[in-house]
Amino acid sequence: MIKLGVNIDHIATIRQAREGRFPDPVLAAAVAERGGADGITAHLREDRRHVQERDIRLLLEMVQTKVNLEMSTSSEMVDLACLLRPADCCLVPERRKELTTEGGLNVVDHTERIQSAVRQLNRAEIRVSLFIDPDLEQVQAAAEVKAPVVELHTGRYAAARSPQQFKKEWDKLWQAAALAQELGLIVHAGHGLDYHNVQEVAAIPGMQELNIGHAIVARAVFDGMENAVREMKRLMREAALAGACV
Ligand code: PXP
């Protein structure tokens, strides 16, 4: 059954606004699990703007499901991941000034660097996923560097404003997911998914996991974290059971 990874970066962002002790993303993770999260995702950025190393260490001790550490491909981060040993690592491109992760990894142009990171993480028995745009060349390259998982970037799909654009972006996700599975890759997706656009992505055949943060934390402001996670999971499961619906 399709899984939900809850990204708790935004809880850390609120805490860092005052550089204080609350709200604690580790507590948010526990509540998200109570609402049905199948995993907790946190992006430890090089500039440490939200999640801190302390959060990852505590998450690794406290999370009952699994931790997915999102990070750049730099050798410092790969070494740190090998030391911390989360179950999963999602490699993403990182730019200092960006508001959030913009675009996927360019595996085609940076094969060597990405392959070396994947190799080191595979050796440490961390399951690696590459965050890539739904682009067939990138999917092919992800398989060539022997990453077991790809996370398809749903940002453009989520930003689509007309039914035509929405369909075009969904088609790209569907095709990338189909090719990835043909090549033996596990398929995840995420970025910009919310309560209105999640079902079409959850219904893509073979979709195994969605990573969602902003919409859940935003909903939690009014409904509480547990209810926000429970409702997202309900929508995902309903769509996955009904099958492709676009
Ligand atoms: N997946 C990846 C790789 C991301 O970088 C992010 C954003 O941190 C997400 C999923 C979650 O995106 P959102 O917060 O828009 O749900």
Side-chain angles (χ1 to χ4, degrees):
M1 182 44 77
I2 190 160
K3 296 203 157 95
L4 170 61
V6 175
N7 181 311
I8 43 94
D9 295 354
H10 289 287
I11 304 288
T13 298
I14 300 173
R15 178 191 59 193
Q16 295 313 112
R18 293 288 170 94
E19 296 182 354
R21 291 162 69 91
F22 63 86
D24 193 326
V26 182
L27 179 58
V31 181
E33 284 186 319
R34 217 162 53 198
D38 300 292
I40 301 298
T41 297
H43 186 173
L44 185 62
R45 296 185 78 102
E46 288 176 18
D47 62 12
R48 304 292 194 268
R49 73 167 76 145
H50 40 52
V51 172
Q52 308 296 307
E53 223 175 290
R54 165 265 184 207
D55 302 330
I56 303 294
R57 289 182 194 278
L58 285 177
L59 286 171
L60 286 166
E61 276 189 43
M62 292 189 49
V63 160
Q64 304 290 316
T65 51
K66 62 165 185 155
V67 174
N68 173 27
L69 174 61
E70 222 184 271
M71 57 181 220
S72 77
T73 57
S74 74
S75 56
E76 293 79 17
M77 289 308 301
V78 174
D79 287 346
L80 182 61
C82 290
L83 207 71
L84 296 173
R85 290 186 169 248
D88 292 352
C89 242
C90 179
L91 298 179
V92 301
E94 224 177 79
R95 285 185 217 101
R96 293 250 158 175
K97 294 243 168 79
E98 67 191 356
L99 283 178
T100 179
T101 316
E102 294 166 358
L105 276 176
N106 188 340
V107 193
V108 174
D109 287 354
H110 303 285
T111 310
E112 245 169 69
R113 184 160 49 86
I114 292 169
Q115 187 162 38
S116 135
V118 171
R119 219 180 264 146
Q120 198 179 333
L121 293 163
N122 280 346
R123 266 203 305 269
E125 295 179 0
I126 298 166
R127 188 175 70 150
V128 188
S129 99
L130 300 182
F131 185 54
I132 56 171
D133 289 328
D135 173 304
L136 301 184
E137 278 184 46
Q138 297 293 346
V139 173
Q140 188 79 44
E144 279 161 20
V145 301
K146 302 220 165 2
V149 185
V150 283
E151 179 169 326
L152 300 176
H153 194 323
T154 48
R156 290 177 79 100
Y157 159 84
R161 286 291 161 261
S162 67
Q164 294 82 349
Q165 207 188 352
F166 186 74
K167 173 79 168 76
K168 189 173 134 214
E169 296 301 331
W170 185 84
D171 280 344
K172 285 191 206 160
L173 290 166
W174 187 92
Q175 283 168 19
L179 175 64
Q181 289 172 85
E182 252 176 66
L183 297 171
L185 297 165
I186 294 168
V187 183
H188 297 174
H191 211 288
L193 295 178
D194 63 30
Y195 293 85
H196 302 287
N197 63 22
V198 74
Q199 290 202 302
E200 288 81 354
V201 177
I204 291 175
M207 185 58 71
Q208 294 207 14
E209 180 177 304
L210 301 180
N211 281 299
I212 308 179
H214 185 78
I216 290 177
V217 174
R219 172 71 65 104
V221 171
F222 301 106
D223 276 1
M225 190 73 175
E226 191 175 335
N227 287 336
V229 172
R230 187 169 292 123
E231 174 61 1
M232 184 60 84
K233 184 101 178 256
R234 186 190 69 74
L235 289 169
M236 283 167 52
R237 288 196 149 188
E238 181 184 276
L241 284 171
C245 56
V246 171

